[in-house]
Amino acid sequence: MLRAHRIAPAVATVVLAAAALATAGTAHAAAPAPHTRAALDVTCSQAYLPLPDPACTPGATNPDVTQDTIDSTICVPGYSTSIRPSSTYTNRLKVQQIAQYGYDDTNTADYEEDHFIPLSLGGNPTDPNNLWPEPRYATGSSSQSSTDKDTVEYKLYRAVCNHQVDLVPAQQAIATDWTTALSVLGLG
């Protein structure tokens, strides 16, 4: 009789191999350092940090949110909370994506499963193209972290809901580079 502790590693290997094969055509592989995960597991590059790999996380919008509907969707208090996916869904996705990014640190508490285009700007709540494991700490060549992105998101949200900036340019600016989104739109 097979024991569960012997089956689980084999199942995990098959699942990761299948995920890598499924995403091989849509993401470019990162060459792992000798002490990191096998190349098969790593399908997303950390080279873009503090931004996600655009091949893995290009962003996705919610078709229900348009410039014409912002006053009845994103600008209504509690909207983001009402469409936020369950933590069961995002935690499962976070574990999978941490492996895809090849992070040495696999502690899920060190990452926010972030909506690249935020819900408050009409980002898709459940599309994996709009979710990624954003490190909570400063990464890349900048000293900016997920907290800094949250500040940018809020300022863009306020500008859109105050009709200072249209929705699509705000979405495009944050999806292009959240670190420059405010200045690109003349807000910072």
Side-chain angles (χ1 to χ4, degrees):
M1 180 167 146
L2 291 175
R3 297 181 188 260
H5 72 275
R6 291 183 185 161
I7 294 173
V11 170
T13 301
V14 170
V15 169
L16 288 172
L21 290 173
T23 60
T26 61
H28 46 280
H35 64 281
T36 63
R37 300 179 201 329
L40 183 61
D41 294 351
V42 179
T43 59
C44 304
S45 175
Q46 296 178 41
Y48 300 93
L49 292 173
L51 307 174
D53 180 334
C56 293
T57 313
T61 57
N62 182 341
D64 296 333
V65 180
T66 65
Q67 186 65 42
D68 292 337
T69 66
I70 63 171
D71 292 324
S72 62
T73 56
I74 64 171
C75 298
V76 173
Y79 170 79
S80 293
T81 302
S82 73
I83 64 162
R84 186 170 305 284
S86 72
S87 59
T88 302
Y89 174 76
T90 57
N91 286 340
R92 186 175 58 243
L93 189 59
K94 185 191 309 188
V95 169
Q96 176 187 356
Q97 292 175 335
I98 286 171
Q100 289 173 332
Y101 271 87
Y103 291 128
D104 288 333
D105 173 7
T106 59
N107 181 356
T108 57
D110 291 338
Y111 303 91
E112 173 184 336
E113 188 64 9
D114 183 55
H115 288 92
F116 188 42
I117 298 173
L119 300 177
S120 61
L121 291 176
N124 191 295
T126 56
D127 188 332
N129 287 315
N130 197 45
L131 287 154
W132 77 294
E134 179 182 24
R136 294 187 187 276
Y137 46 85
T139 59
S141 60
S142 78
S143 61
Q144 297 190 346
S145 69
S146 62
T147 304
D148 298 306
K149 182 176 183 274
D150 293 342
T151 301
V152 170
E153 291 173 359
Y154 182 73
K155 289 179 179 180
L156 288 175
Y157 161 76
R158 296 301 316 151
V160 169
C161 289
N162 289 332
H163 301 279
Q164 296 171 294
V165 174
D166 284 343
L167 177 65
V168 170
Q171 291 171 334
Q172 290 170 338
I174 203 159
T176 300
D177 186 343
W178 68 262
T179 67
T180 62
L182 295 174
S183 62
V184 165
L185 296 171
L187 299 171

